[in-house]
């Protein structure tokens, strides 16, 4: 059973930030730290005191992390970036509400003496000599200290306090002689870099003297409340701690979910999917939709899953104008499906024009209230344009960008992923069956364009950073241009039905061009759904990286598989690793010539390794196959769980097109003539754990993890278990008279009771499986680690 702890972090926006530049504005960005380690950095929002980032991260964590912090800084092109402020959230504050944190929090001042990191290695002893007892504190070394100099380094020294005495040294050892009875506590502090306090008694000093690495902490002081003078940050944080069971434990739940999409959806109120939608609150539906889409993608049933939800949605929709307008499970699932399988397609269609907008930085504005008529005078010194001239110039620029965008979209039928086209074909057919009337002939088009244009293309144009179309957010001028383009694409997606309505009548000069595009979009949608096949066979894998491009690089600890050797932890050697689209290469340092490389095409599996295999955390294995068909394993250790997940993702994506992927492998190591994971005695024994390479999306998103996705569904069902029990009780107590009064069919009620009962039984079985594996873990811990 694998343990996992992750933080879902969304840096939403800031407000009322102080100006740090001479222009009266700031260029803010945000750093996210976990226990003083930087785990994420937002893009910079240029010239803004109320920045919107909207950036979301999933941070994988050690189970014992202490604090999450957000630092807001002002980026400077010359000199050091200015620190604006920070907010700190303890683990206890994050876990106080199961739904997490979603609020505005005032920024606090950043005290350099409170910003500490790193550890110090100490040895404390009690010695006796002719003058009595003395306390010797040996300062051995420190690591990962915070930089304090402009050069990015520090010149550290140690100051040791005991009672009223203190000594300062740059050497490695010294002694303190008490003038009174030995105190029960002593402290060691590093000014500006942090402090650590070692507590002991005289008896402890004599029997077990403190020795080892101690974490540095800030000096105790009251937190300064800025009262909002430094602005505020809106963040969303949710901690998820899970124990993921082996695959076979989730099999009954998976079977129930797969059965759901086989039956009639229109009148189905008792399937697990129907119950899940009923139990899940709106703010959790996006996460649940993502997990469900991944589960069904892994089984090659995403089309049936989406069709099931579509049939339920259209069956309960009376007004076609409200179809898919809510945040239902159907809407969220289709939206997440497009992001999971369609991101390369989105990039191919939009990236050329988006890059032009960023690079050319043309000024465009149609709203008279926002026009800067004096801007042309400052640029050309030929006098300001009139409002009409500015409108005509902006109109030409907008259509100059919109034309290529529409051309790229309507000409992209052959590049749209087959899985997306099949999903849109099913959607088109279901809506046409539900609303066949002549007055509703546009509904089948609007259903598709509502997803493709309004929830995919338009948001990507508006915020290209969030769709990986750009590395940075747009400056205010470019952001306004993107907003105008996104509004225009949204109007085209609405098939021009809302043109001339609402408050934005200043968009009227653009309407003739938009109406010309509508007929082309209708033809595009007809061709898009003209595709053969009723069910996708899975998303085809394809190469995601150019062969020569360096995908990822950095230091890792490496160990080769040794057929007859001892698998000790000391066999790991520090190596600098490069991953490109063609090879995984190793050398002693970045400057050395590569001494060894593995062709990416030889990779057959990339998997985590159990911590107990080498008594080391954050280890992964790369299983390769040579020309003779023999398998070889290379073990790589990362410095933390975040780095491990990043390397796993990069290696799986790079090897996505490879044939003959392994369906199973050993998550342990072969030690003491047996596998540590399954205790089989043959080195060549078949793998005991299913690999993830067989269910990789082969696309932009990270590889699928069916067990983790199923665990999320189980956790969501647990939150609604009381409602399920109440529903079963109500259905069981319903008598024939009530059935007659409500018009309910006895057979339907019987199916509902049976389905609810089955779901509760599956939840109970999973409860027992979790408890059994926890007991096994406690038993293994009591036995101690497996020897070499």
């Amino acid at each position: 059973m694998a343990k996992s702890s992750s933080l879902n972090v969304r840096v939403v926006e800031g407000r009322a930030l102080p100006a740090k530049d001479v222009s009266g504005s700031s260029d803010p960005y945000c750093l996210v730290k976990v226990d003083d380690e930087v785990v994420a950095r937002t893009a910079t929002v240029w010239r803004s005191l109320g920045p919107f980032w909207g950036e979301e991260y999933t941070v994988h964590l050690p189970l014992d992390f202490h604090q999450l912090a957000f630092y807001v800084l002002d980026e400077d092109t010359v000199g050091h970036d200015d620190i604006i402020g920070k907010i700190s959230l303890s683990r206890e504050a994050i876990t106080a509400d199961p739904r997490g944190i979603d609020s505005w929090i005032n920024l606090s001042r950043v005290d350099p003496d409170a910003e500490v990191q790193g550890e110090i290695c100490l040895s404390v002893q009690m010695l006796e000599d002719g003058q009595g007892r003395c306390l010797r504190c040996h300062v051995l070394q420190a690591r990962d200290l915070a930089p304090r100099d402009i050069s990015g380094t520090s010149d550290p020294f140690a100051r040791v306090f005991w009672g009223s005495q203190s000594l300062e040294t740059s050497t490695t050892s010294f002694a303190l002689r008490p003038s009174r009875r030995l105190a029960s506590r002593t402290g060691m502090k590093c000014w500006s870099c942090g402090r650590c306090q070692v507590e002991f008694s005289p008896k402890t000093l004599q029997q077990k003297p403190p020795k080892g690495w101690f974490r540095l902490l800030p000096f105790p002081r009251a937190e300064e409340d800025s009262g909002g003078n430094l602005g505020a940050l809106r963040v969303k944080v949710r901690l998820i701690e899970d124990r993921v069971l082996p695959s076979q434990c989730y099999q009954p739940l998976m079977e129930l979910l797969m059965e759901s999409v086989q039956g009639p959806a229109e009148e189905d109120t008792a399937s697990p999917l129907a119950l899940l939608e009923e139990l899940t609150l709106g703010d959790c539906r996006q996460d649940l939709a993502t997990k469900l889409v991944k589960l069904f993608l892994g089984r090659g049933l995403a089309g049936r899953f989406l069709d099931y939800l579509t049939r339920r949605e259209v069956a309960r929709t009376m007004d076609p104008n409200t179809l898919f307008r809510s945040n239902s499970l159907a809407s969220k699932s289709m939206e997440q499906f497009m992001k999971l399988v369609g991101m390369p397609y989105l990039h191919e269609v939009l990236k050329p024009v988006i890059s032009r907008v960023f690079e050319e930085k043309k000024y465009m504005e149609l709203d008279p209230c926002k026009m800067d008529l004096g801007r042309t005078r400052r640029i050309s010194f030929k006098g300001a344009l009139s409002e009409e001239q500015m409108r005509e110039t902006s109109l030409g620029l907008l259509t100059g960008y919109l034309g290529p965008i529409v051309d790229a979209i309507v000409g992209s039928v052959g590049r749209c992923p087959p899985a997306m086209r099949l999903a849109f074909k099913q959607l088109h057919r279901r809506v046409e069956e539900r609303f066949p009337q002549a007055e509703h002939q546009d509904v089948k088009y609007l259903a598709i364009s509502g997803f493709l244009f309004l929830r995919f293309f338009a948001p990507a144009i508006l915020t290209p950073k969030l769709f990986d179309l750009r590395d940075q957010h747009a400056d205010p001028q470019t952001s306004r241009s993107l907003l105008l383009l996104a509004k225009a694409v949204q109007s085209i997606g609405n098939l021009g039905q809302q043109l001339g309505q609402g408050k934005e009548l200043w968009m009227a000069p653009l309407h003739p061009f938009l109406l010309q595009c509508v007929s082309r979009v209708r033809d595009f949608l007809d061709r898009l759904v003209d595709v053969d096949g009723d069910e996708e066979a899975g998303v085809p894998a394809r190469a995601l990286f150019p062969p020569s491009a360096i995908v990822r690089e950095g230091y890792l600890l490496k160990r080769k598989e040794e057929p007859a050797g001892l698998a000790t932890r000391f066999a790991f050697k520090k190596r600098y690793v490069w991953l490109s689209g063609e090879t995984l290469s190793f050398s002693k340092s970045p400057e050395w010539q590569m001494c060894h490389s593995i062709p990416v095409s030889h990779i057959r599996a990339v998997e985590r390794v159990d911590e107990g295999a080498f008594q080391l955390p954050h280890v992964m294995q790369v299983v390769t196959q040579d020309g003779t068909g023999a398998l070889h394993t290379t073990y790589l250790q990362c410095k933390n769980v975040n780095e491990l997940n990043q390397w796993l993702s990069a290696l799986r994506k790079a090897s996505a097109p490879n044939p003959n992927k392994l369906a199973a492998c050993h998550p342990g190591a072969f030690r003491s003539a047996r596998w540590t994971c399954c205790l089989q005695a043959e080195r060549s024994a078949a793998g005991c754990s299913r690999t993830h390479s067989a269910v990789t999306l082969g696309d932009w998103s990270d590889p699928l993890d069916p067990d983790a996705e199923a665990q999320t569904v189980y956790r969501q069902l647990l939150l609604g278990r009381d409602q399920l029990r109440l529903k079963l009780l109500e259905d069981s107590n319903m008598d024939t008279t009530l059935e007659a009064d409500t018009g309910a069919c006895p057979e339907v009620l019987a199916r509902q009771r049976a389905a609810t009962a089955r779901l509760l039984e599956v939840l109970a079985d999973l409860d027992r499986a979790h408890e059994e594996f926890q007991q096994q873990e406690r038993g293994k811990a009591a036995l101690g680690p497996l020897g070499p």
Side-chain angles (χ1 to χ4, degrees), residues 518-559:
V518 168
S519 61
R520 300 179 65 196
V521 168
R522 289 177 191 271
D523 176 67
F524 160 70
L525 295 176
D526 280 330
R527 289 184 288 116
L528 192 68
V529 299
D530 184 15
V531 58
D532 294 330
D534 295 320
E535 181 61 58
E536 77 273 24
V539 181
R542 66 177 191 173
L544 300 177
F545 307 120
S548 60
I550 299 297
V551 178
R552 189 163 184 82
E553 60 182 300
Y555 278 107
L556 298 176
L557 295 178
K558 172 179 175 286
R559 178 190 176 277

Side-chain angles (χ1 to χ4, degrees), residues 671-692:
R671 301 178 58 187
S672 302
R674 61 178 178 174
W675 287 100
T676 59
C677 45
C678 58
L679 306 183
Q680 295 186 79
E682 294 292 331
R683 177 181 288 275
S684 59
C688 59
S689 179
R690 187 176 61 177
T691 65
H692 296 98

Side-chain angles (χ1 to χ4, degrees), residues 399-463:
T399 54
Y401 291 123
L402 273 174
I405 289 177
V406 176
D407 290 343
I409 292 175
V410 300
S412 68
V413 171
R415 288 179 288 170
C416 185
M420 282 180 64
R421 296 184 64 184
L422 286 168
F424 291 145
K425 176 183 178 179
Q426 293 173 337
L427 175 61
H428 182 276
R429 182 171 67 246
R430 299 304 180 189
V431 174
E432 189 174 35
E433 292 170 351
R434 178 67 177 85
F435 299 103
Q437 299 87 352
E439 64 267 26
H440 299 323
Q441 60 178 342
D442 281 342
V443 177
K444 58 181 179 292
Y445 295 110
L446 288 167
I448 301 173
S449 64
F451 285 115
L452 191 58
F453 282 78
L454 276 60
R455 299 193 184 215
F456 200 47
F457 288 139
I461 294 170
L462 181 63
T463 53

Side-chain angles (χ1 to χ4, degrees), residues 620-657:
M620 62 180 170
Q621 57 181 314
V622 181
V623 184
T624 57
Q625 189 173 35
D626 62 22
T628 67
L631 295 175
H632 305 277
T633 304
T634 300
Y635 297 98
L636 300 170
Q637 186 193 14
C638 304
K639 66 180 179 180
N640 55 49
V641 69
N642 258 348
E643 186 178 65
L644 172 64
N645 280 282
Q646 290 164 1
W647 273 100
L648 281 170
S649 177
L651 281 162
R652 286 174 179 169
K653 290 176 183 177
S655 60

Side-chain angles (χ1 to χ4, degrees), residues 120-123 137-142 158 160 169 171-174 188:
I120 192 165
C121 189
L122 303 176
S123 175
C137 180
H138 192 173
V139 183
L140 299 171
Q141 59 180 314
V160 179
T169 181
T171 62
T172 57
S173 64
F174 52 88
M188 181 274 171

Side-chain angles (χ1 to χ4, degrees), residues 750-761:
R751 288 200 303 269
Q752 290 179 356
R753 287 194 294 270
T756 306
R758 283 183 66 194
L759 194 53
L760 287 170
E761 289 174 5

Side-chain angles (χ1 to χ4, degrees), residues 436-603:
Q437 299 87 352
E439 64 267 26
H440 299 323
Q441 60 178 342
D442 281 342
V443 177
K444 58 181 179 292
Y445 295 110
L446 288 167
I448 301 173
S449 64
F451 285 115
L452 191 58
F453 282 78
L454 276 60
R455 299 193 184 215
F456 200 47
F457 288 139
I461 294 170
L462 181 63
T463 53
K465 170 65 174 66
L466 302 187
F467 288 78
D468 292 318
L469 286 165
R470 299 291 296 184
D471 293 331
Q472 295 289 338
H473 288 291
D475 58 50
Q477 176 182 313
T478 305
S479 181
R480 178 62 182 174
S481 299
L482 293 173
L483 174 61
L484 294 173
L485 290 171
K487 285 179 178 293
V489 170
Q490 192 172 26
S491 297
I492 295 172
N494 282 324
L495 304 184
Q497 291 190 356
Q498 297 178 1
L499 294 182
Q501 303 177 20
K503 300 179 180 179
E504 297 177 345
L505 298 180
W506 45 265
M507 289 282 287
L510 197 59
H511 290 176
F513 179 85
L514 300 181
L515 289 172
Q516 292 175 11
C517 296
V518 168
S519 61
R520 300 179 65 196
V521 168
R522 289 177 191 271
D523 176 67
F524 160 70
L525 295 176
D526 280 330
R527 289 184 288 116
L528 192 68
V529 299
D530 184 15
V531 58
D532 294 330
D534 295 320
E535 181 61 58
E536 77 273 24
V539 181
R542 66 177 191 173
L544 300 177
F545 307 120
S548 60
I550 299 297
V551 178
R552 189 163 184 82
E553 60 182 300
Y555 278 107
L556 298 176
L557 295 178
K558 172 179 175 286
R559 178 190 176 277
K560 288 184 178 180
E561 181 183 47
E562 299 173 8
L566 295 179
T568 65
R569 58 186 296 169
F570 304 106
F572 284 83
K573 304 296 183 183
K574 187 175 182 179
R575 293 291 183 265
Y576 197 82
V577 185
W578 288 268
L579 172 64
S580 73
E582 291 181 330
T583 60
L584 179 65
S585 305
F586 308 89
S587 70
K588 289 187 177 180
S589 71
E591 294 78 22
W592 281 52
Q593 291 184 350
M594 298 177 188
C595 56
H596 175 64
S597 65
I598 298 172
V600 167
S601 60
H602 289 187
I603 295 176

Side-chain angles (χ1 to χ4, degrees), residues 593-788:
Q593 291 184 350
M594 298 177 188
C595 56
H596 175 64
S597 65
I598 298 172
V600 167
S601 60
H602 289 187
I603 295 176
R604 296 294 175 262
V606 181
E607 297 296 319
R608 289 180 174 85
V609 175
D610 292 341
E611 188 168 328
F614 301 105
Q615 304 305 313
L616 290 172
H618 320 313
V619 178
M620 62 180 170
Q621 57 181 314
V622 181
V623 184
T624 57
Q625 189 173 35
D626 62 22
T628 67
L631 295 175
H632 305 277
T633 304
T634 300
Y635 297 98
L636 300 170
Q637 186 193 14
C638 304
K639 66 180 179 180
N640 55 49
V641 69
N642 258 348
E643 186 178 65
L644 172 64
N645 280 282
Q646 290 164 1
W647 273 100
L648 281 170
S649 177
L651 281 162
R652 286 174 179 169
K653 290 176 183 177
S655 60
N658 293 356
N660 304 321
K661 294 285 187 65
L662 294 180
C665 71
H666 292 282
F670 195 76
R671 301 178 58 187
S672 302
R674 61 178 178 174
W675 287 100
T676 59
C677 45
C678 58
L679 306 183
Q680 295 186 79
E682 294 292 331
R683 177 181 288 275
S684 59
C688 59
S689 179
R690 187 176 61 177
T691 65
H692 296 98
S693 52
V695 288
T696 298
L697 277 178
D699 211 292
W700 198 264
S701 302
D702 288 338
L704 300 175
D705 190 342
D707 299 337
E709 320 299 352
Q711 172 63 23
T712 300
V713 176
Y714 160 69
R715 186 176 64 244
Q716 187 62 47
L717 286 168
L718 282 183
L719 296 176
R721 177 152 53 183
D722 289 342
Q723 291 175 253
L724 288 174
R725 289 170 173 165
L726 181 60
K727 181 178 180 63
L728 180 62
L729 181 63
E730 291 175 348
D731 289 346
S732 300
N733 292 335
M734 187 174 292
D735 56 22
T736 306
T737 303
L738 185 57
E739 290 172 5
D741 291 342
T742 59
C745 175
E747 291 79 8
V748 172
L749 291 173
R751 288 200 303 269
Q752 290 179 356
R753 287 194 294 270
T756 306
R758 283 183 66 194
L759 194 53
L760 287 170
E761 289 174 5
V762 168
L763 294 181
D765 289 341
L766 282 168
D767 288 344
R768 286 190 290 269
H770 272 278
E771 180 58 32
E772 288 173 4
F773 276 93
Q774 287 177 13
Q775 291 177 358
Q776 291 179 16
E777 281 188 336
R778 289 191 288 266
K780 289 180 181 179
L783 291 174
L786 182 65

